[in-house]
Amino acid sequence: MKAKILLGLVTAALLMNGAWNPADSFRPTLLGGTAAHAGVRVDFGFFYNELAPYGDWRQIEPYNWVWYPDVTQDWRPYSVGYWVFTDDHGWTWISTDPWGSIPFHYGRWFYDGDYGGWAWVPGTEWGPAWVSWRSGGGYIGWAPLLPEMRFEHDVKFFSPRQDSRIGRNSWCFVPASRFLSPRMERVILPRPRNVTLIKNTTNVTRYLMIDRRVVNRSIDLGRFERETRTQVVRYRIDETDRPMRGETPVRNGRVVLFRPQISRIEVTPPPAVRPPRLGIQGERRPEHRIPDTAPSEHQRRDRERNWRDQEDWPRADQHPRNGRRSVEFEEWDDQRPSVEQERLRQRPTVERKIEEDQHQETEKERARRRVEREQRQQGEQERVQRQAEREQARQQQQQVEQQEKARQQQQQVEQQEKARQREQEKAQRQAEREAQRQAEREQARQQQQQVEQQEKARQREQEKAQRQAEREAQRQAEREQARQQQQQVEQQEKAQQREQEKAQRQAERQAKREQARQQQQQVEQQEKARQREQEKAQRQAEREQAQ
C-alpha cells in the first residue's frame, strides 16, 4: 500500500512539472513543479523560485542576489512565529509566515538602509535558527546574525563580540515567562526598551555540532524550567519534501521541518511575472529608515532607487546608470544646434568666438555621447541577441528535458505496472501467509483457551477442595468446641454433684453431731436427775437418820 501511495505521489509530481507560468516560461516550484525531497540536493535556483511570489530579488554587492520580503514596516526577522525545543536541534524557530520554511533556517539577514527594509542573503547551512541570544534579569532576547557571522564545524561560532555590530532595534526581547508563547509578535516588548534590556542581559549564544547536526543550546533548558516553573515539551523531528505553507508543522509531539541539502551553484533568479510594486512602496514601508537613524535621511535615496528600479524593470541584473542623462535628453540636445547658432549671430565677435569654441567642445561631447549611445545600443542589441539565443537554447533544452521526462514517465508507468503486479503478487502471498498465520494464531488461541479452561477447572477444583477442607476443618472445630463445651457441662455437673454430696455429708455429719449432742444432753440430764435423786435420797436418808 505504501509503495502504491509513493508511486502515485511521484507520478503527480512529474505531471505537475510540465506546468507553464503566465509569462510562458517554465518555473518548476513546489506549488506545482519540482519538489525538494529530504536528503536531495538543490541549488539557489530553488530558493529563487520559492520566494519570488513573496518579495523582490535584487543584486547587491558583496552578497550578489538578496531577497526583500513583502512585509510591514515594523517587521523584524524571527518575530512572527514561536519557539519549540527539539531533541535533535535544541531551540528551533517555527515561523507562521507562508514563506518561513527557508529564510529562517538558511542564510543570514541584514537591514538595508538604502532600501529601508530587511534583506535575506541565501546560505547552504541549515540551522534551527541563525540568531544571537541574550538573557538575564528575567528576559530573553534574540536578533538575526549578520552575513559575516559564519558557523564553522570545527571552531563552532563566528568571532569574539559577535553581537556588537547588531543594531539595538534588531533585537526582540520577551519576558522569560512568555518565551513559549504561540503568538510571539504579541508579546515582544517595545523597541525603546531594547537599550536597557541589552545593558541588563549577557550574550549566551551557544551553537554546537553534534553528530553532524547543528544544535542550539543558547538557552539552558534546565535553568529555564526552574526559573519559569514550566515543563518544556520535547519534540521529535520529522522531515518533509516541501516547504510548509498554511499548515501546522507542530502536531502530536513532533515537528515537521523542511531541510534539503543546498549546493552553492550561482544561478540567476527567474524573470519577474509581476511589475515592481512602486505604487504601494510607501504603504509597505512608509518610513525608509535604518535602525537607530532618523526616517528622513533616506527618503530621497529611496525615491531615486525606486525610479531606477522602475526604469530598469525587468532588467534587474543591471546596475544604475550613475547619473548619466537619459536617451530622451540626449536626443533633445541634438535638436538644439540651430537655436544656439541663431543666438550666436546676434552676439559680439569675441563672445561669439568663445561661444563657438564652447559650442565645438559641446559638439565633441555630444558626438562622444552619441558614439557611446550607439555603442550602448549595439551592446544592448548584442545582449538581446544573446538573451534570445539563450532563450532558444533554454527552450530546446526544455524540449529535450520534456522528451526525457516523457520517456522517464513512460518508463515509470511501465515500472509502476511491474511494481503493481509485483505488489499484487506480494499482496497475494502476504494474504496467504497472513491467512496461514491467522489460522495458526486461531489454533494457538483455541489451545490457549483450552489450557486456560483446564487451568481454570483445576483452580476451581483446588478452590472447591480448599473450601471443603475449610468447611471440614470448621465442622471439626465446631465438634471440638461442642465436645469441650460438653466436657465443661459434665465437669460442672460433676462439680455440682460433688458439692451436693459434700453438702449432704456435711448435713449428715451435722445431724449426727446434733443427735450426739442431744444424746449427750439426755445423758447429762439423766445423770443430773440421777444425782438429784441420789442427793434427794441422801437428804431423806439424812433426815431419817436425824429423826
Side-chain angles (χ1 to χ4, degrees), residues 124-137:
T124 59
E125 185 73 29
W126 186 95
W130 295 117
V131 296
S132 181
W133 293 87
R134 300 188 71 86
S135 177

Side-chain angles (χ1 to χ4, degrees), residues 58 275-282 305-307 309-311:
R58 296 170 181 266
R277 307 201 312 172
L278 299 174
I280 62 172
Q281 184 72 17
R305 177 179 291 274
N306 292 338
W307 177 79
D309 293 340
Q310 185 177 13
E311 184 182 35

Side-chain angles (χ1 to χ4, degrees), residues 328-492:
E328 290 81 0
F329 278 103
E330 292 179 356
E331 292 177 353
W332 183 78
D333 289 342
D334 292 342
Q335 300 174 3
R336 295 176 58 187
S338 59
V339 178
E340 293 182 358
Q341 289 177 3
E342 183 66 24
R343 292 172 58 189
L344 288 176
R345 295 191 191 95
Q346 300 175 3
R347 294 186 179 182
T349 306
V350 177
E351 294 180 359
R352 190 167 57 240
K353 180 63 174 177
I354 295 174
E355 292 184 358
E356 286 179 355
D357 294 339
Q358 293 178 353
H359 179 68
Q360 291 178 0
E361 293 294 331
T362 304
E363 288 295 331
K364 292 180 180 179
E365 181 65 20
R366 290 198 185 110
R368 185 181 63 81
R369 285 201 299 270
R370 281 195 297 270
V371 171
E372 291 179 355
R373 185 169 65 252
E374 292 174 356
Q375 291 177 353
R376 287 198 304 272
Q377 292 177 353
Q378 183 178 1
E380 182 68 18
Q381 293 176 357
E382 293 177 355
R383 188 188 68 80
V384 171
Q385 184 178 1
R386 287 195 301 270
Q387 185 176 1
E389 293 175 355
R390 286 196 299 268
E391 181 66 20
Q392 184 179 2
R394 185 180 65 81
Q395 292 179 357
Q396 293 177 356
Q397 181 67 23
Q398 287 180 356
Q399 292 177 357
V400 173
E401 291 177 355
Q402 289 177 358
Q403 293 175 358
E404 180 65 22
K405 288 178 181 178
R407 187 182 61 81
Q408 292 178 357
Q409 289 177 0
Q410 182 65 24
Q411 291 179 354
Q412 288 180 356
V413 170
E414 294 176 356
Q415 292 175 359
Q416 289 174 4
E417 183 64 23
K418 293 180 180 179
R420 186 179 62 80
Q421 293 177 358
R422 289 194 299 269
E423 186 68 23
Q424 289 179 352
E425 295 174 356
K426 181 179 178 181
Q428 185 176 0
R429 290 193 300 269
Q430 186 175 0
E432 293 174 355
R433 289 194 298 268
E434 184 65 25
Q436 184 178 0
R437 285 195 296 268
Q438 186 69 19
E440 293 175 354
R441 285 196 296 267
E442 182 65 22
Q443 184 179 1
R445 185 181 64 80
Q446 292 177 357
Q447 293 177 356
Q448 181 67 21
Q449 287 180 351
Q450 291 178 358
V451 172
E452 291 177 354
Q453 290 175 357
Q454 293 174 359
E455 182 66 22
K456 289 180 180 178
R458 186 179 61 80
Q459 290 180 358
R460 286 195 296 270
E461 290 295 331
Q462 290 180 353
E463 292 175 355
K464 182 177 179 181
Q466 185 177 359
R467 287 194 299 271
Q468 187 174 359
E470 290 177 353
R471 287 195 297 269
E472 184 66 27
Q474 185 176 2
R475 286 195 296 270
Q476 184 69 22
E478 291 175 353
R479 286 195 298 270
E480 181 66 23
Q481 185 177 3
R483 186 181 62 79
Q484 291 177 358
Q485 290 178 356
Q486 182 66 26
Q487 287 179 356
Q488 289 179 0
V489 170
E490 292 176 356
Q491 290 175 0
Q492 289 177 0

Side-chain angles (χ1 to χ4, degrees), residues 60 66-69 108-112 117-121:
I60 294 180
V66 299
W67 180 68
Y68 295 85
R108 301 289 187 271
W109 289 87
F110 73 96
Y111 191 91
D112 187 353
W118 286 94
W120 177 68
V121 181

